[in-house]
């Protein structure tokens, strides 16, 4: 469905460095004729955590972006099994997770989740105004290897767009955030 209200997610795998690919091993398609609008799965990414578990982070929204959306995850404890088993999906926060989590030297996990501005992208302009404090580059934190996640902070860059931020830990212990904004690439640091 592309980057549109018709979007859904399909996952295939390769065991020979990309020479051949499997048939789809799972699909996330939340479209339903019973809904008044399309419910799309816009973005998704796979990540292997330090224990070898495979995480799937994905985002869903009514239409392309309804002003709230939802960042979700599912976990597979046995990714190399002939038939991997996935946990039930769970919602982490509002918005979209486009990049993989960061595991800090102290074991804390950080996940970037963006909530774009409520202007023009949505089925209803200015939908979910109660979330305006979270519109920007959010950071979620887990101190228990992903069992629970809590909202940590939100960076509001000038001329926000789809921030698509990524987090890195510097040698001096500061967290470096880099984001794509309407004003080009931006960066910020947190100690």
């Amino acid at each position: 469905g592309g980057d549109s209200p018709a979007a859904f997610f399909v996952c295939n795998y390769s065991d020979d460095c990309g020479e051949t690919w499997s048939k789809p091993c799972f699909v996330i398609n939340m479209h339903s004729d019973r809904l008044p609008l399309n419910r799309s799965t816009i973005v998704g990414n796979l990540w292997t955590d330090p224990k070898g578990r495979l995480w799937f982070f994905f985002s869903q929204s009514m239409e392309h972006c309804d002003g709230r959306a939802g960042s979700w995850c599912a976990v597979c404890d046995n990714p190399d099994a002939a038939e991997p088993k996935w946990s039930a999906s769970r919602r982490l926060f509002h918005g979209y997770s486009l990049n993989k989590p960061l595991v800090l030297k102290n074991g804390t996990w950080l996940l970037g989740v963006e909530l774009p501005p409520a202007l023009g992208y949505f089925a209803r302009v200015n939908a979910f105004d109660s979330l305006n404090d979270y519109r920007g580059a959010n950071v979620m934190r887990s101190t228990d290897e992903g069992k629970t996640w809590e909202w940590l902070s939100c960076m509001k860059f000038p001329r926000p767009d789809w921030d698509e931020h990524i987090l890195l830990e510097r040698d001096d212990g500061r967290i470096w955030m880099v984001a794509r904004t309407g004003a080009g690439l931006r960066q910020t640091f947190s100690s």
Side-chain angles (χ1 to χ4, degrees):
D3 198 9
S4 76
F8 61 96
F9 194 92
V10 178
C11 187
N12 301 30
Y13 66 89
S14 172
D15 282 331
D16 57 11
C17 297
E19 292 294 320
T20 61
W21 290 88
S22 72
K23 292 181 180 177
C25 54
F26 72 86
V27 175
I28 297 202
N29 184 354
M30 298 304 295
H31 294 287
S32 171
D33 293 338
R34 295 176 296 178
L35 296 172
L37 300 168
N38 287 319
R39 180 172 45 204
S40 58
T41 304
I42 296 286
V43 296
N45 68 76
L46 296 162
W47 175 65
T48 304
D49 74 14
K51 289 187 169 181
R53 298 175 298 182
L54 184 61
W55 290 70
F56 176 51
F57 294 93
F58 62 100
S59 299
Q60 294 185 348
S61 177
M62 299 304 287
E63 294 295 312
H64 186 191
C65 186
D66 61 14
R68 180 183 77 145
S71 182
W72 294 71
C73 74
V75 183
C76 178
D77 290 331
N78 63 340
D80 291 324
E83 293 186 31
K85 302 291 184 214
W86 289 88
S87 70
S89 300
R90 62 187 164 116
R91 192 176 195 277
L92 301 176
F93 197 64
H94 317 293
Y96 302 86
S97 314
L98 281 88
N99 291 302
K100 299 171 186 344
L102 167 66
V103 179
L104 300 178
K105 292 173 191 163
N106 70 7
T108 298
W109 294 7
L110 300 179
L111 176 66
V113 180
E114 68 169 304
L115 186 60
L119 299 171
Y121 298 113
F122 313 124
R124 292 166 185 81
V125 173
N126 297 324
F128 301 102
D129 285 341
S130 62
L131 299 178
N132 285 345
D133 288 345
Y134 302 105
R135 296 201 187 284
N138 293 283
V139 178
M140 303 295 293
R141 171 176 57 194
S142 177
T143 57
D144 56 11
E145 299 177 324
K147 290 180 190 139
T148 60
W149 293 87
E150 65 179 333
W151 178 85
L152 183 61
S153 65
C154 179
M155 178 62 198
K156 294 181 178 276
F157 289 102
R159 291 188 53 210
D161 193 8
W162 293 89
D163 292 327
E164 299 178 1
H165 54 299
I166 190 164
L167 304 165
L168 302 160
E169 185 174 21
R170 294 173 51 98
D171 289 341
D172 63 10
R174 291 184 301 158
I175 305 304
W176 180 26
M177 178 190 289
V178 179
R180 178 189 88 160
T181 73
L185 286 177
R186 296 287 181 162
Q187 65 180 350
T188 188
F189 299 88
S190 174
S191 53

